[in-house]
Amino acid sequence: MAAFTQKVVAEVIEVQEFPELGNAYQVRGVPLTVINEKYSFTGAANEQMLLDHVKKALSKNLEGDS
Amino acid sequence: MQILNDSDREIVKNRFENELASEVNITLFTQMDLGGLIVPGRECETCAPTEQLLKEVSEISDLITFKKLDIRNDAEEAARCNVSKIPSFLVSKGAETNVRYLGIPAGGEFPVLIEALVNVSSGEPKISEETKRFLDGLEENLLIKTFVTPN
């Protein structure tokens, strides 16, 4: 998605190297994806699943599963 | 010693030959070699192997430019790129800073590096028309962070 538009920032964090970030985001399992610092989900997601999560994250007052 | 073995290199070379469409940059933020000195608070176990891995990958194709910056000496550029940890690197065509990786892309994460290079280079990621339409219509920026482990 980030290769398609600069409106999307994609960041991958190797959590073993940065345990302080893992703690800050309460990473309990990987992969953990956090969208706009407020919505998160654990587990691999294909494109359609990621798109669904993104849409949920952008809609108001919805929390992720973690 | 090389990190990539010959068969990995051959596979990556094939992909790059077929899929790299234009020049693409890898910009690594690290710290300058302290000449074997161990300075408390400045340990960086993965800085050297990350640099070596990225260099090896960039040497596979003439379309890839590898650039190394120092998190302290190049603090202004680090701030522009939203980088505060080392090792971190960006994959970009130009000055954009929206594809970032913190840590070493080793093991199971190695393909992420290759995909990032191919996708950024082409600007035409293999995503569906539905996703493209959604992204075209985005009114706010999206920050997607994914936490991973190498295996």
Side-chain angles (χ1 to χ4, degrees):
Chain A
M1 287 187 184
F4 183 73
T5 170
Q6 288 186 50
K7 285 186 279 192
V8 178
V9 176
E11 188 168 279
V12 177
I13 299 140
E14 209 289 275
V15 72
Q16 286 178 358
E17 287 176 60
F18 305 104
E20 70 281 11
L21 293 177
N23 287 335
Y25 286 86
Q26 298 181 314
V27 179
R28 301 277 175 268
V30 289
L32 171 80
T33 301
V34 180
I35 301 171
N36 286 356
E37 307 286 359
K38 61 177 185 186
Y39 175 98
S40 66
F41 65 93
T42 308
N46 62 25
E47 181 189 333
Q48 187 59 50
M49 288 155 77
L50 177 61
L51 186 59
D52 290 343
H53 281 299
V54 165
K55 285 176 179 171
K56 270 195 207 170
L58 292 178
S59 61
K60 274 185 189 168
N61 301 322
L62 275 171
E63 298 291 324
D65 64 9
S66 61
Chain B
M1 213 180 75
Q2 299 272 337
I3 294 178
L4 290 178
N5 63 35
D6 288 345
S7 99
D8 291 341
R9 187 173 287 104
E10 207 47 44
I11 292 167
V12 172
K13 193 176 171 203
N14 266 326
R15 285 211 57 188
F16 284 172
E17 280 173 0
N18 290 315
E19 298 178 57
L20 278 186
S22 62
E23 290 184 6
V24 59
N25 307 305
I26 301 175
T27 307
L28 171 69
F29 287 89
T30 183
Q31 60 187 3
M32 289 307 149
D33 188 3
L34 299 172
L37 273 181
I38 295 170
V39 180
R42 288 206 187 180
E43 302 90 350
C44 183
E45 255 179 63
T46 54
C47 280
T50 302
E51 179 179 344
Q52 192 185 333
L53 178 62
L54 295 176
K55 261 189 194 161
E56 285 183 26
V57 169
S58 67
E59 282 162 5
I60 296 173
S61 169
D62 290 340
L63 289 174
I64 304 174
T65 304
F66 172 79
K67 187 172 160 192
K68 172 180 162 181
L69 297 176
D70 179 273
I71 189 84
R72 293 178 191 84
N73 295 342
D74 301 298
E76 218 168 278
E77 181 64 0
R80 187 185 76 82
C81 297
N82 274 307
V83 168
S84 58
K85 307 276 184 190
I86 54 170
S88 292
F89 64 91
L90 309 182
V91 175
S92 67
K93 267 184 139 161
E96 77 275 17
T97 63
N98 63 326
V99 178
R100 297 196 283 267
Y101 197 107
L102 281 65
I104 183 165
E109 296 307 316
F110 183 66
V112 175
L113 167 64
I114 306 304
E115 290 301 322
L117 288 165
V118 166
N119 284 329
V120 169
S121 160
S122 73
E124 274 294 323
K126 298 176 203 96
I127 53 177
S128 69
E129 288 306 313
E130 182 195 353
T131 303
K132 286 180 185 173
R133 273 197 305 275
F134 173 80
L135 294 173
D136 280 334
L138 261 186
E139 285 170 3
E140 55 182 304
N141 288 349
L142 265 185
L143 170 59
I144 303 178
K145 293 184 178 179
T146 302
F147 294 84
V148 300
T149 53
N151 297 307

